[in-house]
Amino acid sequence: MDLSLIDWSRAQFALTAMFHWVFVPLTLGLGVIMCIYETIYYRTGDEKWKRLAKFWIKLFGINFAIGVATGIILEFEFGTNWSNYSYFVGDIFGAPLAIEGIVAFFLEATFIGVLFFGWDKVSKGFHLASTWLTVGGATLSAWWILVANAWMQFPAGMDFNPDTARNELTDFWAVALSPVAVNKFFHTVLSAWMLGAAFVIGVSSYYLLKKRDTEFAKNSIKIATLVGIAGIVLTFWTGHGSAQKVAKHQPMKLAAMEGLYEGKAGAGLVGIGILNPSKEAYNDSENPFLFKIEFPKMLSWLAYSETDSYVAGIKDLVDGNEAQGIISVEEKMEMGKMAQQALKTYRTTECDSTKQAALIQLDENIGNFGYGFFKEPKNAVPPVGITFYAFHIMVLLGGYFLIFFIAYWFFNKKGILEKNKWLQILALISIPLAYICSQAGWVVAEVGRQPWAIQDILPLSASVSKIPTSSVQITFFVFLAVFSILLIAELGIMVKAIKKGVDNE
Amino acid sequence: MEKIKNIADFFRMYVEGFKKMTKLGKMLWALILIKLFIMFAILKVFLFPNFLNSKFDNEQDKADYVAEQLVNND
């Protein structure tokens, strides 16, 4: 397999997904905040909240319009660059994505019209319901996309059909309500509230900086900081749940997130650390860190809610650890090869009894099917550096935003924010920091899952289409150009609307 | 401003909304349409054919091809 083809296909998917993720969290996060502004208007009848809601709805509309349908490109890529994967998972991936399309179309398309055209034409209550339903529709769409992604991290509710070479959905609810999907949904959506809050506080601080629309800005910040506090606290809480799911279903990802090579009971959580670039192999004698500050026993607590639990390291997971009941990758590779041989036999033999025996062998080993593609055990290790740094950037920025929201709520309440230019500038700088935090979360989820497209079942090397690398390179740069233009348009239109301000609605 | 009383008024709201759209709204709609055109009429058609559909006519051939990929991984 041409490695550059995999890398280019992967780079293209990462580019598209990360670009799509510029728009989605702002839609979800700003959406909830504008709903709250309008709810306050509905309850109080105070026109200042209507004016406020209308301004933020306008920015929501800009983001929504530029971001809409950017995710569809990912589906194009599945069919062209990842055809083996698409075929292998077709029915399972198709169901949630189809529901997503229908939900998105009916809820968002119907009610977004009322949201923008319905002011003064429908009752206040109906308009408010439409605003909530638009945002609810977008959030429900996210559910189905995240269900599809969660299935790749923790495949469940399916059976492999050797006749069609496809997985078939056997339990819809096991897919739709898998613990990984539920946790992923809340973690992702709540982190989007954090991003939306950071956006509102940053933009409002711009008005404070310019000494215009100050009452508007202060009222906006009052609500946004509270949404931000709720969002970030719940994101941390669901992050704990996420770590537990990763420890259970993707222990290699957890080990990479922490740069943990040697497993131990009472493992510490790295707060800040610099990885040793001289460490080239998982089993060499180099120290994995040049420097680290660790919170004792916290990784064990994070992963298993007990401070003395054993957390497996990369070496345990590759070489196996009998005392901890961990099977080596080499043994899994044997099982994977047996599954592949059984599939080959099943599809080529004419003899019924041989077919039956092959089917039994396939069923017994299907859970490790993907390991059969590996040439050597170290293939099971994801890129530790990217996963480690992305995880720590996400957590550190998450901690920053916890302090940020509480502090800005207090500063705003006491009138300190209005008088301090540096606080206003810091709020503006915090907008890109919120995006970095949010994107880093996806980098952990996706790079940490490597080398798998579907955990333990299908690696990327078997998922990719055998197409010329040059065609993927061309489309990569076409996307880069299109996305750059759209991003410039987003920023330009958004900045213009912000500069125009609320008084010129 | 007259309130919506029936389903016809509801559709009229959309028609009026589009007619009286602000400059910003028109620009965003233009952007959406251009984007959709580029995505579906150019990128999808010329750069993103479905790999298996372009090589095979029926499901059995696709299944055979993918199964072959799954068992021969050299």
Side-chain angles (χ1 to χ4, degrees):
Chain A
M1 176 55 67
D2 177 5
L3 281 179
S4 69
L5 171 64
I6 300 174
D7 287 341
W8 276 102
S9 301
R10 174 195 256 165
Q12 188 182 86
F13 200 86
L15 171 76
T16 318
M18 290 177 93
F19 176 76
H20 183 52
W21 196 248
V22 168
F23 302 101
V24 178
L26 189 59
T27 296
L28 301 178
L30 180 58
V32 165
I33 298 170
M34 74 190 196
C35 285
I36 296 172
Y37 293 145
E38 193 179 338
T39 305
I40 298 173
Y41 164 62
Y42 175 78
R43 291 177 69 91
T44 62
D46 186 339
E47 287 291 319
K48 82 175 177 216
W49 290 102
K50 181 181 180 183
R51 180 168 159 262
L52 203 138
K54 282 183 96 167
F55 174 76
W56 292 109
I57 285 171
K58 182 170 81 172
L59 298 194
F60 170 89
I62 294 169
N63 181 64
F64 189 92
I66 299 176
V68 73
T70 49
I72 288 174
I73 295 171
L74 294 168
E75 293 185 36
F76 294 172
E77 289 171 24
F78 281 132
T80 305
N81 300 352
W82 304 101
S83 60
N84 289 349
Y85 163 84
S86 292
Y87 191 82
F88 187 71
V89 304
D91 297 341
I92 296 164
F93 227 61
L97 293 183
I99 296 172
E100 189 270 335
I102 294 164
V103 168
F105 182 78
F106 282 104
L107 271 177
E108 293 172 48
T110 307
F111 292 105
I112 206 163
V114 182
L115 175 62
F116 288 102
F117 301 149
W119 289 107
D120 306 323
K121 297 209 172 175
V122 295
S123 68
K124 273 165 69 178
F126 188 83
H127 192 275
L128 177 65
S130 300
T131 309
W132 277 105
L133 282 165
T134 302
V135 178
T139 308
L140 266 179
S141 289
W143 174 285
W144 295 110
I145 296 291
L146 294 169
V147 160
N149 180 271
W151 186 83
M152 295 164 74
Q153 321 277 347
F154 172 53
M158 85 293 189
D159 263 340
F160 178 67
N161 182 338
D163 291 311
T164 58
R166 300 187 100 162
N167 281 286
E168 291 170 355
L169 190 63
T170 53
D171 184 349
F172 175 78
W173 296 111
V175 177
L177 297 176
S178 96
V180 175
V182 172
N183 198 92
K184 185 177 272 287
F185 170 76
F186 285 108
H187 190 58
T188 309
V189 170
L190 292 164
S191 72
W193 291 13
M194 175 278 290
L195 185 140
F199 178 81
V200 171
I201 296 166
V203 172
S204 301
S205 292
Y206 166 80
Y207 291 122
L208 295 180
L209 202 58
K210 294 286 171 191
K211 300 191 186 309
R212 51 185 271 217
D213 299 310
T214 50
E215 278 312 301
F216 160 87
K218 282 159 68 182
N219 284 326
S220 295
I221 292 170
K222 186 160 76 179
I223 302 300
T225 47
L226 293 174
V227 172
I229 292 167
I232 196 68
V233 168
L234 293 170
T235 301
F236 268 111
W237 183 49
T238 52
H240 184 195
S242 185
Q244 290 179 318
K245 308 289 180 291
V246 169
K248 191 172 177 186
H249 304 297
Q250 298 174 296
M252 185 65 88
K253 184 195 276 186
L254 183 73
M257 282 158 63
E258 275 297 292
L260 184 72
Y261 285 85
E262 304 277 352
K264 56 177 135 176
L269 182 74
V270 177
I272 300 171
I274 298 173
L275 293 171
N276 182 356
S278 303
K279 187 161 185 66
E280 288 173 352
Y282 76 92
N283 52 359
D284 65 22
S285 57
E286 289 285 342
N287 188 332
F289 287 93
L290 291 177
F291 156 82
K292 69 173 171 178
I293 298 173
E294 204 173 75
F295 299 104
K297 300 192 175 199
M298 286 304 287
L299 180 59
S300 288
W301 176 80
L302 188 70
Y304 298 103
S305 295
E306 283 177 15
T307 51
D308 289 321
S309 293
Y310 187 87
V311 181
I314 292 171
K315 203 163 177 295
D316 302 285
L317 294 162
V318 177
D319 294 342
N321 182 331
E322 210 176 325
Q324 297 298 327
I326 300 167
I327 307 171
S328 71
V329 170
E330 204 161 343
E331 287 171 87
K332 290 181 180 177
M333 284 166 66
E334 282 306 312
M335 290 186 244
K337 288 189 195 320
M338 280 166 72
Q340 292 178 1
Q341 184 54 47
L343 176 62
K344 193 174 187 173
T345 306
Y346 177 88
R347 289 184 64 88
T348 50
T349 186
E350 297 292 326
C351 171
D352 283 348
S353 60
T354 310
K355 230 180 193 9
Q356 201 55 39
L359 202 55
I360 291 168
Q361 189 176 328
L362 180 61
D363 279 347
E364 283 172 356
N365 296 292
I366 191 76
N368 290 306
F369 189 88
Y371 286 94
F373 293 94
F374 291 169
K375 302 294 174 221
E376 42 191 345
K378 70 175 185 184
N379 293 156
V381 182
V384 176
I386 299 174
T387 312
F388 172 85
Y389 286 117
F391 176 62
H392 287 84
I393 286 169
M394 176 188 75
V395 174
L396 288 173
L397 285 174
Y400 164 78
F401 277 107
L402 178 64
I403 298 165
F404 173 85
F405 290 129
I406 295 170
Y408 274 68
W409 173 79
F410 178 78
F411 294 149
N412 189 50
K413 190 177 165 69
K414 297 291 177 190
I416 298 168
L417 178 57
E418 199 182 345
K419 293 172 196 152
N420 283 280
K421 208 171 171 179
W422 70 271
L423 282 175
Q424 297 154 9
I425 293 169
L426 183 65
L428 264 173
I429 295 168
S430 296
I431 298 176
L433 291 182
Y435 275 98
I436 292 169
C437 183
S438 188
Q439 296 277 2
W442 274 111
V443 172
V444 176
E446 299 305 291
V447 177
R449 194 191 60 224
Q450 304 301 312
W452 303 109
I454 308 165
Q455 184 71 34
D456 297 342
I457 293 179
L458 196 72
L460 289 188
S461 58
S463 308
V464 76
S465 308
K466 287 187 175 162
I467 53 176
T469 306
S470 58
S471 72
V472 186
Q473 288 170 327
I474 290 168
T475 48
F476 176 90
F477 288 108
V478 168
F479 279 157
L480 190 61
V482 171
F483 292 161
S484 300
I485 291 166
L486 280 175
L487 202 58
I488 291 167
E490 158 97 353
L491 289 172
I493 297 170
M494 192 72 94
V495 168
K496 200 174 166 188
I498 291 166
K499 279 185 175 170
K500 199 173 171 188
V502 274
D503 286 329
N504 300 306
E505 286 300 290
Chain B
M1 196 75 65
E2 201 169 321
K3 297 264 183 193
I4 289 173
K5 295 188 186 75
N6 52 45
I7 195 81
D9 287 349
F10 193 77
F11 286 109
R12 253 194 297 279
M13 176 187 75
Y14 279 84
V15 174
E16 271 185 44
F18 279 106
K19 275 184 185 167
K20 294 176 183 169
M21 194 175 277
T22 60
K23 203 175 152 191
L24 174 66
K26 283 176 187 159
M27 183 164 61
L28 290 174
W29 268 106
L31 206 64
I32 289 171
L33 295 175
I34 293 167
K35 181 174 60 177
L36 290 176
F37 176 78
I38 291 171
M39 280 167 57
F40 287 98
I42 300 174
L43 295 179
K44 177 66 184 156
V45 174
F46 297 106
L47 298 174
F48 283 92
N50 184 297
F51 178 74
L52 291 177
N53 288 348
S54 65
K55 276 178 88 93
F56 307 104
D57 296 331
N58 59 65
E59 288 300 307
Q60 190 55 52
D61 287 349
K62 287 182 199 171
D64 291 344
Y65 174 79
V66 174
E68 181 67 16
Q69 300 284 308
L70 293 178
V71 295
N72 289 326
N73 52 59
D74 293 327

